[in-house]
Amino acid sequence: MPSTHIYTLSDFPNLRQASFQLYSSSRRQYRTRLKEVAPPAAAIVISAQGLPRAEGEARAPEAQALLVRLPSDWEPYLEQLAAAAPEVVVQPDVGLDAQAAYLSMSVPLPAPQLPRAIWLEVARVMELSAHNVSVGGSGAVPIAFTAGQQFVVTEFTAEPGLTRRCQDALLAEGKTPDVGKADLAKPKQIAKNYGERPWLFMRYDVRVGSRRIAVNWAGVIGRLPACVL
């Protein structure tokens, strides 16, 4: 792993059912939404045993994985997504009162479209990595991305450089963003209207360093922070 093999959900009934249940369980009345909605992307923890694996690949019986449901328009880009190298991003909330650490996997799109990215919370991925070590695994976390009727399987690998960047990002997550003398009136109004992390509810353009990307955040259902509930 990672593999860029495309699988069909209909060949894996348990995964298809889990993907449907993920949509149903993510649908709720959120604080900044006028009616009950399901976020475009969402994630849930599943057993790693139900996922396809490479020949000769071993997994601990109690290893866990992430199932990530994406908007259907991600379907043509699943292979690119599976092959994408993860980046670690610390992104301030819209209101600039807090920030969060995300694992970002992005694919380029033809201009004038922005690169498109999926964000997963670093804290959730690191928790799964630690769990998989505790049950006799390597610390790798299989991740199944589904879109439309297809899915791919990749993994978070607990290699030292990436693990260190994740740990540094989690330390930064606990700090208040450094906004200097920025006028906070406009960010506060946007947060009031759309929420602190609108990238949960829509594909949202954000600036990361010198780049602008269009982001969907796949929050782990059942573990979403209070600022979006």
Side-chain angles (χ1 to χ4, degrees):
M1 292 231 278
S3 166
T4 57
H5 185 78
I6 297 288
Y7 300 94
T8 302
L9 276 173
S10 60
D11 294 333
F12 295 82
N14 289 344
L15 279 183
R16 183 175 60 181
Q17 180 64 20
S19 182
F20 175 76
Q21 290 175 343
L22 176 54
Y23 172 82
S24 301
S25 61
S26 67
R27 188 175 183 86
R28 65 183 68 177
Q29 177 73 56
Y30 293 87
R31 182 173 56 86
T32 58
R33 306 296 109 178
L34 296 177
K35 58 182 181 180
E36 190 177 85
V37 298
I44 195 169
V45 176
I46 62 171
S47 168
Q49 296 306 309
L51 297 178
R53 69 186 76 186
E55 185 176 352
E57 179 189 351
R59 290 181 186 148
E62 297 178 1
Q64 294 182 333
L66 274 178
L67 175 65
V68 183
R69 180 183 53 79
L70 306 178
S72 59
D73 62 1
W74 269 94
E75 193 168 9
Y77 308 107
L78 286 175
E79 286 183 280
Q80 290 174 270
L81 181 63
E87 301 176 76
V88 180
V89 173
V90 178
Q91 180 67 25
D93 290 355
V94 168
L96 302 179
D97 289 324
Q99 55 193 9
Y102 301 96
L103 200 65
S104 175
M105 285 146 286
S106 62
V107 299
L109 296 181
Q113 299 178 86
L114 294 176
R116 183 182 293 184
I118 291 297
W119 282 2
L120 302 171
E121 290 169 273
V122 168
R124 303 288 83 80
V125 176
M126 293 296 283
E127 286 173 3
L128 290 179
S129 179
H131 168 82
N132 287 351
V133 168
S134 74
V135 297
S138 66
V141 180
I143 303 172
F145 289 107
T146 77
Q149 297 303 311
Q150 298 183 320
F151 73 97
V152 292
V153 180
T154 184
E155 69 178 12
F156 168 85
T157 56
E159 56 92 5
L162 180 57
T163 298
R164 184 168 56 253
R165 293 194 298 276
C166 288
Q167 291 169 342
D168 290 344
L170 289 176
L171 290 175
E173 185 174 70
K175 301 176 182 178
T176 302
D178 182 6
V179 297
K181 297 181 179 179
D183 183 358
L184 299 182
K186 184 176 180 180
K188 296 296 185 189
Q189 186 60 48
I190 295 174
K192 181 179 179 181
N193 292 341
Y194 296 102
E196 290 287 354
R197 300 179 187 177
W199 40 91
L200 175 67
F201 302 106
M202 65 189 83
R203 186 167 296 137
Y204 196 80
D205 295 357
V206 301
R207 184 173 293 278
V208 177
S210 60
R211 296 190 306 150
R212 287 180 63 229
I213 57 177
V215 171
N216 284 118
W217 167 30
V220 176
I221 298 304
R223 299 295 301 276
L224 291 172
C227 66
V228 300
L229 294 176

